[in-house]
């Protein structure tokens, strides 16, 4: 069984995979994990909840955009599971041809989401939108070339920036607005942040499609915590919440070398 970790700036999420099937998922705020003991307690709690024994885990693959946590992830996995974790990056075999500058700096979350989309839809031109702390919209062609994309502030990042940098704008709960012409400050913020994401992704899809997919329309895939807000907007062909885990599993399997150490 492989344990997958998706370490974002806001949340740390895990999943246990066997034969390319997710058996369970669990998560916590990234800020809750400050050392290897925190990680062990988090894993122990969720292993008990899902009736998983640590000895069943024979490999660990991580997509992490928080380098400061790598040492505690390494120590925690080694001490609790007896496994050296594999950290995904752009220098290794990913199943994609990364057509970008400085591939070693390409976000592992973007690589994993693209690889997961390619696993689900081989031979298709794809645009993948991932809604997290940042929102990313990336292109992958039918040959498996990762062509690049766009990055913009995510839902919570945008609303936190407004809350912290203005005197009177409050924090809000992120949700799909009930109406687009807000009748109070909270409604106007909710609508504005939602429409910013919707409009940016729509415009990104249009312009990147013209650049790369002018002969055929690509499949548009949504993933990440806020992707479900766009149900009914006819924005996505498919919404796949676990897409990044599929990508981490695929890349971890290609590079598997972190079997049990004890």
């Amino acid at each position: 069984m492989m344990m997958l970790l998706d370490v974002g700036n806001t949340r740390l999420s895990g999943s246990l995979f066997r034969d390319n099937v997710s058996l369970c998922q669990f998560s916590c705020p990234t800020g809750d994990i400050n050392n290897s003991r925190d990680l062990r307690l988090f894993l122990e709690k969720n292993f008990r909840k899902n009736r998983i024994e640590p000895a069943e885990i024979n490999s660990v693959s991580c997509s992490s955009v928080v380098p400061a946590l790598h040492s505690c992830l390494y120590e925690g996995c080694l001490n609790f599971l007896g496994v050296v974790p594999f950290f995904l990056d752009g220098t290794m075999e990913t199943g994609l041809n990364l057509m970008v500058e400085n591939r070693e700096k390409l976000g592992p979350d973007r690589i994993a989401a693209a690889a997961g989309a390619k696993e689900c839809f081989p031979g298709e031109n794809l645009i993948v939108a991932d809604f997290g702390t940042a929102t990313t919209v990336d292109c992958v062609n039918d040959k498996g070339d990762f062509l690049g994309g766009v990055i913009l502030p995510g839902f919570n990042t945008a609303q936190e920036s407004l809350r912290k940098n203005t005197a009177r704008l409050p924090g809000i709960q992120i949700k799909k607005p009930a109406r687009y012409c807000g009748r109070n400050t909270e409604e106007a913020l909710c609508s504005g942040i939602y429409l910013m994401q919707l409009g940016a992704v729509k415009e990104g899809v249009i312009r990147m499609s013209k650049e790369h997919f002018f002969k055929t329309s690509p499949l548009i895939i949504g993933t990440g915590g806020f992707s479900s807000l766009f149900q009914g907007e006819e924005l996505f062909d498919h919404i796949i919440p676990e897409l990044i885990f599929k990508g981490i599993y695929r890349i971890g399997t290609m590079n598997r070398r972190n079997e049990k150490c004890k």
Side-chain angles (χ1 to χ4, degrees):
M1 188 185 303
M2 183 185 292
M3 183 174 77
L4 312 177
L5 294 176
D6 172 25
V7 185
N9 290 292
T10 305
R11 296 197 70 80
L12 184 154
S13 301
S15 183
L16 302 180
F17 263 58
R18 180 184 285 132
D19 299 327
N20 203 24
V21 175
S22 176
L23 305 179
C24 62
Q25 294 184 20
F26 40 87
S27 70
C28 70
T30 302
D32 287 358
I33 307 298
N34 297 297
N35 51 54
S36 59
R37 181 177 180 275
D38 290 341
L39 180 66
R40 179 176 187 134
L41 292 173
F42 168 67
L43 294 177
E44 284 180 338
K45 172 185 175 182
N46 286 286
F47 279 28
R48 283 196 302 270
K49 179 180 178 181
N50 292 284
R51 299 181 180 179
I52 300 294
E53 292 296 327
E56 296 180 68
I57 308 301
N58 56 33
S59 62
V60 178
S61 296
C62 301
S63 165
S64 171
V65 298
V66 189
L69 286 182
H70 288 191
S71 61
C72 84
L73 293 171
Y74 180 95
E75 293 172 8
C77 290
L78 185 59
N79 294 336
F80 179 49
L81 302 172
V83 173
V84 174
F86 159 79
F87 288 92
L88 187 165
D89 65 42
T91 66
M92 57 194 53
E93 177 59 42
T94 63
L96 301 166
N97 182 22
L98 303 178
M99 307 284 287
V100 296
E101 299 174 5
N102 302 317
R103 59 191 294 169
E104 68 277 3
K105 295 183 179 180
L106 182 61
D109 52 340
R110 295 172 68 191
I111 298 170
K118 207 64 191 169
E119 174 80 3
C120 294
F121 305 102
E124 297 282 355
N125 292 320
L126 303 168
I127 293 180
V128 183
D130 184 7
F131 298 89
T133 306
T135 295
T136 60
V137 188
D138 292 313
C139 290
V140 184
N141 69 17
D142 55 359
K143 298 185 176 94
D145 297 330
F146 181 97
L147 303 172
V150 302
I151 303 173
L152 64 145
F155 276 94
N156 274 325
T157 305
Q159 73 103 5
E160 276 294 295
S161 179
L162 288 172
R163 184 184 67 81
K164 290 179 179 178
N165 291 289
T166 62
R168 299 184 63 181
L169 294 181
I172 59 167
Q173 179 184 358
I174 301 299
K175 59 184 180 180
K176 190 168 185 174
R179 60 175 66 91
Y180 294 110
C181 187
R183 295 178 184 172
N184 56 51
T185 300
E186 288 78 7
E187 286 186 358
L189 280 169
C190 181
S191 179
I193 290 170
Y194 178 85
L195 291 174
M196 177 188 73
Q197 297 288 319
L198 178 62
V201 173
K202 277 188 173 182
E203 193 65 22
V205 166
I206 291 169
R207 294 187 182 228
M208 287 190 287
S209 295
K210 287 180 179 178
E211 282 185 0
H212 296 294
F213 308 128
F214 49 90
K215 292 184 179 179
T216 58
S217 297
L219 287 178
I220 314 302
I221 313 300
T223 191
F226 294 111
S227 57
S228 61
L229 294 180
F230 298 104
Q231 294 277 8
E233 293 286 1
E234 299 184 352
L235 178 60
F236 298 119
D237 295 299
H238 302 277
I239 294 177
I240 307 175
E242 72 279 9
L243 189 68
I244 197 164
F245 285 129
K246 289 181 176 293
I248 299 170
Y249 181 82
R250 180 186 186 193
I251 296 170
T253 301
M254 288 178 179
N255 293 272
R256 180 176 286 179
R257 55 178 179 269
N258 56 337
E259 302 301 325
K260 283 283 187 181
C261 296
K262 62 181 179 180

